Amino acid sequence: MRWEEEAYTRKDDEGNLITVEEYERDHKPTGMSRFMSRGDMKLYAICGVGFFLDSYDLFIINLVTPVWTYEYWGGLQGKKSPTYPLLLRGAVNAAANIGNIIGQLSFGFLGDAFGRKFVYGKEMIIMIIGVILVISLPNHLKGPTRNKFWYLFGMRIIMGIGIGGDYPMSAAIVAERSTLRNRGRMLGWIFSNQGWGTLAGSIVTLIVLGCFSSALKAGHYNELDAVWRIQIGVALVPAFATLYFRLTMPESRKFKQSGELSTFKAPSIDTLSSDGSYTKDPKSEIREVDGAGRTASVVEAHVAPPTRDVQLKAFFVYFSEWRHLKTLIGTASTWFLVDVAFYGTNLNQSVLLAAIGFSKGNTEYDTLLKNAYGNLIIAAAGYVPGYFLTIYFIEILGRRWIQIQGFLITGLMFGIIAGDYAHLGTAGKFVCFTIAQLFFNFGPNATTFIVPGEAFPSRVRGFAHGVSAATGKVGAILSGVLFNYLSGPTQIGVANVLWIFFACSILGAIMTFFFVPETKGVDADAVDFAECQEAVRIKNAR
């Protein structure tokens, strides 16, 4: 398996400048390649495994939490209500998302400043280390049980840094190596592995519980210690399998060519002479390129790559323009709003299933089994199909339409449950949660990942995507920590928390309408290239 170049770049293999139209004309897919080419398949395998693991590691906590509750917080001593403190549980659940913010910002920035090749694969190493440290929790750790969970909190932050780094890097790499006509679909395919990761978590849990069923039914609940370590540790197998291919990735031509434009935005490059004429840096020129019956005004990139300080400043120079900053505000705010509801639901789905009476059992084993079945049904009926609806319709309906309708329908489902929480039965609530999961993924959970990967040029794409994703994770942390606290019987309760999710969904639809552009069929690098041309022409005309 090797990396391949498929995406449009300004130059062909011979170094001649070409337009988007010429590229599209000369690279029309045929046969099965219209669905997914060999290059796409390889890209999907290498980058997709990362998102499978990201989802598995993030959301397996939802299935591990009940096991921890029984093993460490009194569930096995005959207590009807285990005493896993709500705020501590929320902190441990949110720890990976705290690490996500660090990873998304740092890897996004480093990926733009030093290149994709420099950083890709390192995030997987950090994630592997984090997972190993989590499953190595020493049971002999002295002090109260809380000490063990503060250890888990810290190790899950490390794991989360690796997971977070995968978001901007995989998004940027897929966008830069996909063709214009299939870019949204490829980003959707890669992100759909989040659904498979969640589904795999439920399946692994059922298998592991089945393997330990005899011991657990016999009351040997000390075996739960092995159950949760296996649940989490399974992720190491595909992680090691994909590590080599990430570490050996070559730099993409599209990223290198886009980075060259950062120099044209630097104030020191272009100057005006004393007579008002435009003076160009000797490393760059504006010229007419003739050939094949066309004439195109282009900015020819200089021979040497931009200096490191120019690349470091590119993000701030690019977003000093309101039209670009407006888009970043849109992608970041909508990701924040969807993650409040999405992570509030998914990190606490076991809590919600218990609250609506779905996962009640006569024994701890029965409760864990029903909880795993409930998560599996929601994942299979709602979570995973939503991604494939996005993949199918994204190049037909566009990103904005899918995002707006997804926000509105998930908001409707939360409103129905919250508005009639006292009277709506277990089956009704379960169906509404499943529909909400379907339209999270045939909606804003998928598109808030896809749009930042398409809306910004390659030279700032990693950090812009990282900023958007990190803002979203702030919402995930707030929801993960506060959900357990606010949903308690002495606080506002589950129904009112769902009203908060409803408000976030409606606001998300509004922000999408006013701030998020349609990126279907738009090449941000070509737009950036044209903006640079126009900026140079304006200076030259002064």
Side-chain angles (χ1 to χ4, degrees):
M1 186 181 293
R2 61 185 178 85
W3 291 93
E4 293 186 2
E5 293 280 352
E6 296 243 9
Y8 158 74
T9 56
R10 297 199 311 275
K11 300 176 185 177
D12 60 19
D13 293 334
E14 287 72 40
N16 301 315
L17 289 158
I18 58 174
T19 64
V20 177
E21 292 75 15
E22 287 177 311
Y23 175 84
E24 291 290 299
R25 182 193 65 201
D26 298 335
H27 293 77
K28 288 185 178 179
T30 58
M32 283 299 294
S33 64
R34 287 179 296 181
F35 173 69
M36 187 177 285
S37 68
R38 288 181 60 191
D40 292 338
M41 286 294 294
K42 292 173 182 178
L43 190 65
Y44 176 76
I46 296 169
C47 296
V49 169
F51 267 94
F52 174 90
L53 295 173
D54 295 349
S55 174
Y56 186 94
D57 287 330
L58 279 176
F59 295 119
I60 195 67
I61 188 71
N62 177 54
L63 292 159
V64 169
T65 294
V67 178
W68 283 342
T69 301
Y70 289 141
E71 181 180 1
Y72 294 108
W73 295 99
L76 308 180
Q77 282 76 49
K79 296 182 180 179
K80 297 296 182 181
S81 300
T83 55
Y84 187 175
L86 294 177
L87 286 178
L88 180 61
R89 181 170 69 185
V92 173
N93 285 3
N97 284 314
I98 295 173
N100 281 178
I101 294 177
I102 300 170
Q104 286 157 349
L105 292 175
S106 59
F107 277 87
F109 176 78
L110 292 172
D112 286 346
F114 297 96
R116 315 313 190 210
K117 178 179 174 60
F118 179 81
V119 299
Y120 206 45
K122 280 71 172 182
E123 81 294 333
M124 185 69 76
I125 293 173
I126 295 174
M127 188 193 73
I128 289 172
I129 293 172
V131 171
I132 291 173
L133 290 172
V134 168
I135 63 177
S136 300
L137 169 68
N139 279 334
H140 62 271
L141 199 64
K142 294 182 179 179
T145 304
R146 283 180 174 82
N147 288 358
K148 293 185 177 67
F149 281 77
W150 286 122
Y151 170 91
L152 290 170
F153 174 81
M155 298 308 105
R156 278 179 55 79
I157 288 178
I158 295 174
M159 182 189 75
I161 292 173
I163 294 173
D166 195 41
Y167 274 70
M169 286 299 92
S170 287
I173 288 166
V174 171
E176 290 157 14
R177 293 175 182 269
S178 301
T179 61
L180 189 59
R181 64 169 60 89
N182 78 339
R183 183 189 59 205
R185 190 175 293 115
M186 276 304 298
L187 285 167
W189 272 111
I190 298 301
F191 196 61
S192 70
N193 284 279
Q194 190 180 76
W196 292 118
T198 302
L199 183 64
S202 298
I203 294 172
V204 167
T205 299
L206 286 171
I207 293 173
V208 174
L209 286 174
C211 293
F212 286 86
S213 61
S214 298
L216 295 176
K217 287 178 180 178
H220 303 153
Y221 286 107
N222 59 308
E223 301 291 341
L224 287 174
D225 195 60
V227 169
W228 72 260
R229 294 178 197 268
I230 295 173
Q231 282 178 285
I232 297 174
V234 163
L236 292 172
V237 177
F240 279 112
T242 194
L243 180 60
Y244 169 78
F245 302 105
R246 291 187 169 218
L247 292 173
T248 56
M249 181 198 75
E251 196 65 85
S252 70
R253 288 183 296 160
K254 191 165 190 176
F255 170 73
K256 290 188 286 187
Q257 291 184 16
S258 178
E260 292 168 349
L261 296 180
S262 296
T263 301
F264 288 96
K265 292 290 188 179
S268 61
I269 297 301
D270 305 320
T271 62
L272 289 173
S273 64
S274 58
D275 63 357
S277 62
Y278 179 65
T279 303
K280 298 176 285 295
D281 186 273
K283 293 180 180 178
S284 64
E285 59 176 337
I286 301 178
R287 63 187 179 89
E288 297 294 317
V289 177
D290 300 309
R294 69 177 175 88
T295 300
S297 177
V298 297
V299 178
E300 176 61 276
H302 48 75
V303 177
T307 58
R308 191 67 65 201
D309 64 322
V310 169
Q311 287 182 290
L312 295 176
K313 294 175 183 176
F315 179 87
F316 302 99
V317 174
Y318 182 82
F319 287 103
S320 64
E321 298 183 41
W322 168 245
R323 57 182 170 176
H324 302 146
L325 181 60
K326 177 184 176 183
T327 300
L328 183 61
I329 292 172
T331 58
S333 62
T334 52
W335 204 329
F336 172 87
L337 291 166
V338 71
D339 272 11
V340 169
F342 181 74
Y343 279 86
T345 302
N346 284 277
L347 290 180
N348 300 285
Q349 198 157 271
S350 295
V351 178
L352 290 169
L353 289 175
I356 67 176
F358 184 89
S359 58
K360 290 181 179 179
N362 296 324
T363 66
E364 284 87 350
Y365 175 75
D366 290 339
T367 300
L368 292 173
L369 201 61
K370 286 186 176 181
N371 179 60
Y373 275 126
N375 279 274
L376 178 63
I377 293 169
I378 291 176
Y383 204 101
V384 173
Y387 288 111
F388 289 98
L389 288 172
T390 295
I391 291 167
Y392 182 80
F393 285 108
I394 193 163
E395 300 297 355
I396 301 172
L397 302 175
R399 288 65 164 155
R400 290 178 81 244
W401 191 93
I402 292 176
Q403 185 158 309
I404 290 172
Q405 63 87 33
F407 267 127
L408 292 177
I409 295 178
T410 54
L412 175 64
M413 292 301 105
F414 288 129
I416 290 173
I417 301 172
D420 196 27
Y421 191 82
H423 304 99
L424 192 63
T426 298
K429 292 172 184 173
F430 187 82
V431 169
C432 286
F433 277 126
T434 303
I435 294 173
Q437 288 287 14
L438 178 69
F439 283 93
F440 267 133
N441 297 320
F442 179 40
N445 185 48
T447 52
T448 51
F449 170 82
I450 293 170
V451 172
E454 299 181 317
F456 307 107
S458 298
R459 62 195 180 96
V460 297
R461 179 176 286 139
F463 196 34
H465 196 284
V467 168
S468 300
T471 305
K473 288 300 175 284
V474 171
I477 291 167
L478 289 174
S479 190
V481 172
L482 294 179
F483 180 93
N484 288 281
Y485 175 71
L486 294 176
S487 62
T490 60
Q491 302 301 323
I492 65 175
V494 173
N496 286 318
V497 170
L498 296 178
W499 277 123
I500 296 174
F501 295 168
F502 167 83
C504 288
S505 298
I506 300 303
L507 184 57
I510 295 171
M511 291 297 294
T512 301
F513 184 82
F514 287 105
F515 284 86
V516 177
E518 178 55 66
T519 55
K520 175 187 173 184
V522 177
D523 191 295
D525 288 303
V527 173
D528 190 38
F529 188 48
E531 289 177 359
C532 287
Q533 287 182 286
E534 185 62 25
V536 172
R537 287 195 189 98
I538 291 173
K539 289 182 180 181
N540 197 28
R542 291 176 182 173

